[in-house]
Amino acid sequence: MNYHAYYPIDVVNGPGTRCTLFVSGCEHRCRGCYNAATWNPHNGLPFTPQLEERILQDLADTDIPRQGLSLSGGDPLYPANLSAVFSLVKRVKQELPDKDIWCWTGYRLGQLTKQQQRVLSFIDVLIDGPFVEPLKDPRLVWRGSQNQRVVPIAAWLAANHRVDTQSIG
Amino acid sequence: MPEHVIKRDGQTIPFNIHRIETAIVKAMGSVQCHQTHLLPLLCTDIERELSGHQPCDIDTIQQVVEAALIRHRLVDVARSYIAYRRTRDIERERRSKLNDDIVGLISRRNSALLNENANKDSYVIPTQRDLLAGIVARHIAKTQLLPQDVVQAHEHGDIHYHDLDYAPFFPMFNCMLVDLEGMLTQGFRMGNAEIEPPKSITTAAHVTAQIIAQVASHIYGGTTIDRIDEILAPYVTASFHKHLTTAEQWNIADVNAYAMQQTERECFDAFQALEYEVNTLHTSNGQTPFVTFGFGLGQGWQERLIQKAILKVRLAGLGRNRKTAVFPKLVLAIKEGLNRSTNDPNYDIKQLALQCASQRMYPDILNYDQVVLATGSFKTPMGCRSFLDNRQQNSEHPHAGRNNLGVVSINLPRIALLAEQDSARFFALLHQRLALCFSALMSRVDRLKGVKARVAPILYMEGACGIRLKADDDIFQLFHDGRATVSLGYIGLHETANALFGREPHIYDCEHKQRFAIAVVETLKQATDQWRQKTDLGFSLYSTPSESLCARFCELDTKEFGVIPGVTDKGYYTNSFHLDVEKKVTPYDKILFEKPYPRIASGGFICYGEFPNLQHNLKALEDVWDFSYRHVPYYGTNTPIDECFRCGFQGEFNCTAKGFCCPACANHDPQSISVTRRVCGYLGAPNARPFNAGKQEEVKRRVKHLATPL
Ligand SMILES: [Zn+2]
């Protein structure tokens, strides 16, 4: 996986003070996307074990406490990103269980593949759906266009049972 | 012989050789030359020479006279004649500058003058009168009151003698902490009225507004009420008892609940009225007064009620469109065990304050322990950032009623440019300049000697300054012995380091530059300490908020040294010790960068961070506040709080050629938008009233301190 940018301190992508990773690779190609340079999966820099280590360290920092990790892009659920993203979110949840994870994807929550759903189970809040320019509204919080949703995953799972919780590992 | 002479103002008058003769006689007299027998010859000579010029002007006459004197070997007389002429020329130049300034004001041509202070609406008549008075006061101060080396250094831009439009022409001082408690509890006279101690919070708030209006008309800097929640708390109690009595009279079932509800409502209304009054006030200085309220340390229910009222009133906004109030500046004290942490009794006040700061920019915060560390005791700044020291003497209150006598700022980048990359030379020059600053500051102080209390009854006789004098008492007894502060200011530490060591690396990434910058500020501090010992005055070091000065110094230096990358190329100098506004760092990093300075420049400081819209992320704002609590005394958050009254958008407007523009609906009609930016220590509305050019540029270049990828 390549990544576009990593912000050790971020306050605009999710609540509290966060670490935010913008990954490369996105197949939605939304018109009016604010981050079109991230579509090409070969753009940006390789996501290395060193960077993963750095993110874990930043999240654990007590001097400037972080509430959690934000994943954006690009699309963290772009098929080629799934294995790297899966290992990152799993590690964060295992080593720092009190940190929350927010994730922005252009896919719809109800239409995720099995592979994508494996990642979902480590995520606290998913902002789903493509950016639709005519529905753009700067007054919205955490999202760009009105069709997008901010979904707390635990509650959604409880209500929908879409994911077979036994299969998550 | 010419028939007519054209004077400098364009008038034509008949030529008269006797005027020339008189001037020559004067010149001869001044150098003890007795060769008056040469006069007829000289006059014929001059007349003949001038007959070729028809009509002739003053300059030609003077040149011809000089030449004739030298031809007749009267060199000393010629020198004296030239010297006299030069004095006259300077005087004339100044008179015509005075004239130009006045005409510029009337015709609205002089934009530097009109936009000098973002808080003055230069269209209205009282402001124009004030500006006119300022032009005259400045002229007389420069020509008659100040030492000429100080005037020259000011005009030339070596130093800046602040507020010349008021002082030293008027014996006024800068800013103060009003002894509101003393005035309210002991009563006072104002105009023809005897004001008794108030019997309700409504009256107390109203009287407070009256006092502010009066005080602000007699000083030229900021008016601060420190600990307003604690001072006004007794009047909340009085209101409560009043409502209790009413409840009992009317046989209301739950008297306490009724009285409490009525008191809460009255308190909110009282503070709303106070905010309206402060924002609608026009002092005789032609401006809305610079007012600051310090609050937050009170723990009783009355103080808490006031704290909540102040914040809720600010959140509610002014007028139909709920616009952000620009005044008073709100400063909230944060203290561990009181309101800082989740389990503290006033933690709810901090939450409300975070909401308020995210929507209305204020309050800024004072971190209790850090303020004590930097200045010796806790207090709210006078005006936007001027701090008193600790003065625990007798039983007198350590801060209330004390003041600042004024500021002279030093142009540090100029000294660095003159030193030509040589730091030893820089410090040598700096010491020379400091001597000049001392003499400039003493001229401020000396102007207040022998002044009688009757010049400002509200300050000196009715208690605002904490001690009540008789009409003919000298006011100076309130200022000496360190009771008042006198401040040395400084500008452009960032550009100073660049001028000496080159633009790269950036001071943020260069320990050497940082050590140098701290050494400079420590040198300034040592100077003020020495002056303190030499006199009995409270000299202090103040980090100047450079609203118009940031552009002025830079402009003068560009004229003298040209455009120098990293120094004069931006059109403004950076505020005091602040990190260059273009440097992309996190607010946390900025706090750590600026941390060393408030403790050195303890007479005036503030640290800022530039934030994106945080109205939906108060936790992030709280994280930064909490971090600041461990590092800096006084912290303000700049966040986009622009509003579109057409579509309801709140956030940051785009700055376009059409003016400020709503990003959601493209509305740019000044009547239906509200744009608020911090100018120096205060807020301003650049949309309604433009900033001066240098400040506009600086505001445009500010980068958000939370957009820093690894
Ligand atoms: Zn709009």
Side-chain angles (χ1 to χ4, degrees):
Chain A
M1 178 173 79
N2 276 13
Y3 75 101
H4 178 67
Y6 168 60
Y7 291 83
I9 294 176
D10 175 38
V11 296
V12 289
N13 297 285
T17 307
R18 316 183 63 80
C19 299
T20 298
L21 180 70
F22 289 91
V23 302
S24 298
C26 179
E27 58 186 349
H28 307 292
R29 301 177 171 261
C30 308
R31 181 192 275 272
C33 171
Y34 78 108
N35 223 351
T38 62
W39 293 350
N40 184 338
H42 304 295
N43 278 356
L45 298 164
F47 182 77
T48 58
Q50 286 79 10
L51 183 58
E52 184 174 302
E53 205 52 52
R54 164 81 203 255
I55 294 175
L56 267 292
Q57 270 176 29
D58 287 341
L59 286 169
D61 181 10
T62 49
D63 197 31
I64 303 171
R66 314 301 205 285
Q67 180 168 331
L69 173 69
S70 291
L71 298 169
S72 186
D75 196 328
L77 302 187
Y78 179 67
N81 291 340
L82 285 173
S83 74
V85 167
F86 181 76
S87 85
L88 174 65
V89 293
K90 185 175 169 192
R91 229 191 118 185
V92 169
K93 277 295 173 189
Q94 277 171 354
E95 294 178 25
L96 303 162
D98 58 331
K99 305 293 171 187
D100 61 15
I101 301 180
W102 285 48
C103 177
W104 278 256
T105 182
Y107 301 98
R108 297 289 294 181
L109 186 50
Q111 295 157 11
L112 297 182
T113 64
K114 267 265 169 341
Q115 245 46 35
Q116 290 170 325
Q117 287 179 24
R118 284 181 68 218
V119 173
L120 198 63
S121 58
F122 294 100
I123 283 171
D124 296 274
V125 175
L126 190 80
I127 293 83
D128 80 335
F131 173 70
V132 181
E133 203 172 21
L135 299 177
K136 177 186 166 181
D137 186 346
R139 287 167 295 190
L140 295 171
V141 183
W142 311 134
R143 57 212 166 110
S145 60
Q146 279 157 353
N147 60 301
Q148 295 172 316
R149 300 177 296 176
V150 180
V151 189
I153 293 303
W156 185 85
L157 287 179
N160 291 271
H161 303 289
R162 290 276 180 116
V163 180
D164 176 2
T165 44
Q166 300 306 310
S167 72
I168 292 168
Chain B
M1 185 183 88
E3 277 179 27
H4 290 103
V5 177
I6 303 166
K7 287 176 57 181
R8 284 191 207 271
D9 59 8
Q11 263 188 75
T12 306
I13 55 162
F15 179 79
N16 183 351
I17 189 68
H18 293 304
R19 283 171 184 263
I20 296 174
E21 202 179 334
T22 313
I24 297 174
V25 170
K26 259 192 204 159
M28 283 178 157
S30 73
V31 295
Q32 272 90 46
C33 164
H34 306 293
Q35 293 177 280
T36 42
H37 61 276
L38 287 174
L39 278 168
L41 200 64
L42 273 166
C43 288
T44 329
D45 218 13
I46 290 165
E47 279 183 320
R48 192 181 47 238
E49 194 70 26
L50 283 174
S51 52
H53 302 271
Q54 210 47 278
C56 84
D57 57 36
I58 298 279
D59 277 333
T60 314
I61 294 179
Q62 287 174 341
Q63 278 159 23
V64 167
V65 172
E66 268 172 51
L69 288 170
I70 288 166
R71 263 203 312 280
H72 287 88
R73 301 183 191 284
L74 298 170
V75 179
D76 283 353
V77 181
R79 204 171 284 146
S80 158
Y81 176 81
I82 295 165
Y84 173 72
R85 200 184 106 184
R86 187 173 301 142
T87 329
R88 286 284 301 267
D89 281 350
I90 290 171
E91 225 171 82
R92 191 179 303 113
E93 216 172 82
R94 281 193 175 146
R95 259 206 309 278
S96 70
K97 171 84 171 67
L98 176 64
N99 197 51
D100 284 354
D101 280 350
I102 293 173
V103 173
L105 170 69
I106 297 164
S107 62
R108 304 197 54 81
R109 271 201 318 262
N110 188 342
S111 63
L113 184 79
L114 296 170
N115 299 336
E116 184 181 66
N117 179 334
N119 189 35
K120 288 197 179 187
D121 181 351
S122 57
Y123 276 94
V124 302
I125 290 166
T127 308
Q128 292 215 334
R129 280 180 64 100
D130 175 67
L131 290 172
L132 178 64
I135 290 169
V136 176
R138 190 178 289 152
H139 177 76
I140 291 176
K142 283 184 192 169
T143 53
Q144 293 169 37
L145 300 176
L146 291 175
Q148 279 309 299
D149 57 341
V150 169
V151 176
Q152 270 167 30
H154 170 87
E155 309 239 281
H156 191 218
D158 294 336
I159 62 169
H160 187 81
Y161 201 107
H162 291 259
D163 307 296
L164 266 174
D165 40 355
Y166 296 101
F169 181 83
F170 292 108
M172 294 170 82
F173 63 74
N174 183 17
C175 50
M176 73 178 305
L177 297 186
V178 178
D179 182 14
L180 181 66
E181 184 178 13
M183 294 183 82
L184 292 181
T185 52
Q186 293 161 47
F188 60 98
R189 273 190 80 83
M190 195 157 54
N192 298 321
E194 290 280 356
I195 313 288
E196 295 287 308
K199 294 181 182 60
S200 70
I201 187 64
T202 303
T203 319
H206 182 66
V207 171
T208 301
Q210 300 281 320
I211 291 172
I212 288 168
Q214 275 292 309
V215 168
S217 291
H218 289 82
I219 66 180
Y220 54 79
T223 306
T224 293
I225 312 286
D226 186 18
R227 297 177 181 259
I228 193 170
D229 51 335
E230 292 160 83
I231 293 172
L232 295 182
Y235 309 102
V236 173
T237 313
S239 283
F240 180 75
H241 288 302
K242 190 185 67 186
H243 294 304
L244 214 52
T245 312
T246 311
E248 280 156 3
Q249 276 170 354
W250 292 87
N251 294 320
I252 287 165
D254 190 343
V255 286
N256 269 307
Y258 170 85
M260 189 53 85
Q261 195 201 35
Q262 290 299 310
T263 307
E264 275 172 26
R265 202 178 138 172
E266 185 187 340
C267 193
F268 179 89
D269 289 347
F271 278 89
Q272 186 161 56
L274 177 56
E275 193 185 84
Y276 268 91
E277 277 179 275
V278 167
N279 280 284
T280 50
L281 274 176
H282 233 86
T283 64
S284 54
N285 298 351
Q287 59 185 349
T288 319
F290 289 108
V291 182
T292 303
F293 288 171
F295 65 110
L297 290 179
Q299 300 188 49
W301 68 266
Q302 300 91 332
E303 286 92 340
R304 283 176 44 82
L305 202 58
I306 292 173
Q307 293 164 15
K308 280 191 256 180
I310 291 173
L311 293 167
K312 283 180 179 166
V313 164
R314 181 55 52 93
L315 275 164
L318 281 176
R320 185 167 47 92
N321 285 323
R322 300 165 38 97
K323 279 201 181 195
T324 295
V326 172
F327 291 109
K329 169 168 183 156
L330 302 179
V331 183
L332 176 77
I334 302 277
K335 193 178 178 195
E336 188 64 62
L338 173 66
N339 58 10
R340 198 189 85 84
S341 303
T342 329
N343 295 322
D344 290 345
N346 283 3
Y347 184 68
D348 58 331
I349 305 285
K350 183 193 184 193
Q351 288 302 311
L352 191 60
L354 285 162
Q355 192 193 342
C356 191
S358 77
Q359 291 181 33
R360 307 294 188 183
M361 210 97 87
Y362 294 147
D364 290 351
I365 55 168
L366 282 173
N367 295 316
Y368 190 94
D369 305 325
Q370 298 292 335
V371 175
V372 174
L373 263 178
T375 72
S377 54
F378 181 85
K379 79 282 293 180
T380 306
M382 302 178 284
C384 71
R385 73 188 67 180
S386 182
F387 282 85
L388 289 163
D389 54 358
N390 190 14
R391 189 172 178 273
Q392 220 83 35
Q393 268 182 339
N394 312 326
S395 57
E396 199 196 331
H397 195 286
H399 312 112
R402 293 173 63 194
N403 58 339
N404 175 269
L405 299 183
V407 186
V408 168
S409 289
I410 190 164
N411 181 352
L412 292 175
R414 160 81 56 94
I415 303 173
L417 289 168
L418 288 169
E420 294 176 321
Q421 281 101 51
D422 179 344
S423 9
R425 196 149 166 239
F426 171 85
F427 283 103
L429 280 168
L430 180 59
H431 280 106
Q432 287 175 23
R433 280 285 195 285
L434 283 168
L436 192 71
C437 289
F438 177 69
S439 117
L441 284 167
M442 284 311 291
S443 73
R444 298 209 94 116
V445 173
D446 289 339
R447 178 67 181 93
L448 296 163
K449 289 183 177 152
V451 173
K452 306 295 179 203
R454 61 167 75 248
V455 301
I458 190 81
L459 301 179
Y460 307 122
M461 298 165 63
E462 303 301 331
C465 279
I467 294 171
R468 299 183 189 211
L469 302 176
K470 302 242 163 31
D472 288 316
D473 288 349
D474 268 9
I475 60 173
F476 205 77
Q477 55 187 296
L478 301 182
F479 307 144
H480 74 159
D481 203 14
R483 191 171 189 269
T485 56
V486 193
S487 297
L488 170 70
Y490 63 101
I491 296 265
L493 213 46
H494 174 76
E495 288 77 13
T496 305
N498 281 357
L500 276 177
F501 308 113
R503 183 185 202 159
E504 301 296 337
H506 195 283
I507 187 169
Y508 182 81
D509 309 306
C510 175
E511 228 172 276
H512 176 63
K513 277 184 174 178
Q514 286 171 28
R515 269 201 306 273
F516 165 79
I518 289 171
V520 172
V521 181
E522 273 169 348
T523 306
L524 301 178
K525 170 70 168 170
Q526 281 156 15
T528 59
D529 285 346
Q530 280 164 13
W531 300 343
R532 223 172 229 268
Q533 280 164 15
K534 198 154 87 173
T535 64
D536 68 341
L537 299 163
F539 281 99
S540 68
L541 181 60
Y542 172 81
S543 306
T544 311
S546 51
E547 187 185 337
S548 54
L549 195 50
C550 69
R552 179 175 179 258
F553 276 164
C554 185
E555 200 177 295
L556 290 167
D557 287 348
T558 309
K559 265 186 210 144
E560 181 136 350
F561 302 94
V563 176
I564 296 166
V567 186
T568 59
D569 59 344
K570 302 182 302 289
Y572 64 85
Y573 285 156
T574 303
N575 261 337
S576 57
F577 61 78
H578 284 175
L579 181 65
D580 154 35
V581 296
E582 290 185 274
K583 181 68 179 175
K584 290 196 171 193
V585 299
T586 70
Y588 297 95
D589 293 333
K590 187 170 189 285
I591 285 170
L592 294 177
F593 174 84
E594 294 178 352
K595 174 176 181 168
Y597 297 97
R599 285 179 212 184
I600 313 171
S602 55
F605 49 79
I606 186 168
C607 300
Y608 293 128
E610 298 288 329
F611 294 83
N613 184 346
L614 290 179
Q615 290 173 23
H616 304 285
N617 198 356
L618 298 183
K619 182 69 183 67
L621 185 56
E622 184 178 14
D623 288 343
V624 182
W625 278 16
D626 287 352
F627 185 80
S628 83
Y629 190 82
R630 304 203 301 274
H631 300 287
V632 291
Y634 185 23
Y635 192 67
T637 42
N638 290 341
T639 156
I641 53 165
D642 304 336
E643 271 190 271
C644 175
F645 304 129
R646 206 167 276 173
C647 77
F649 172 82
Q650 291 187 333
E652 185 164 13
F653 275 32
N654 302 320
C655 184
T656 71
K658 282 184 261 177
F660 287 92
C661 188
C662 169
C665 76
N667 175 16
H668 57 90
D669 165 26
Q671 296 305 314
S672 58
I673 62 176
S674 163
V675 178
T676 313
R677 295 286 183 282
R678 200 186 287 260
V679 216
C680 45
Y682 297 102
L683 299 184
N687 170 50
R689 216 175 290 165
F691 296 150
N692 66 69
K695 187 47 75 174
Q696 189 88 28
E697 188 60 31
E698 188 261 322
V699 170
K700 218 163 77 187
R701 286 182 189 235
R702 286 178 192 169
V703 296
K704 298 273 179 280
H705 293 131
L706 277 167
T708 323
L710 187 67

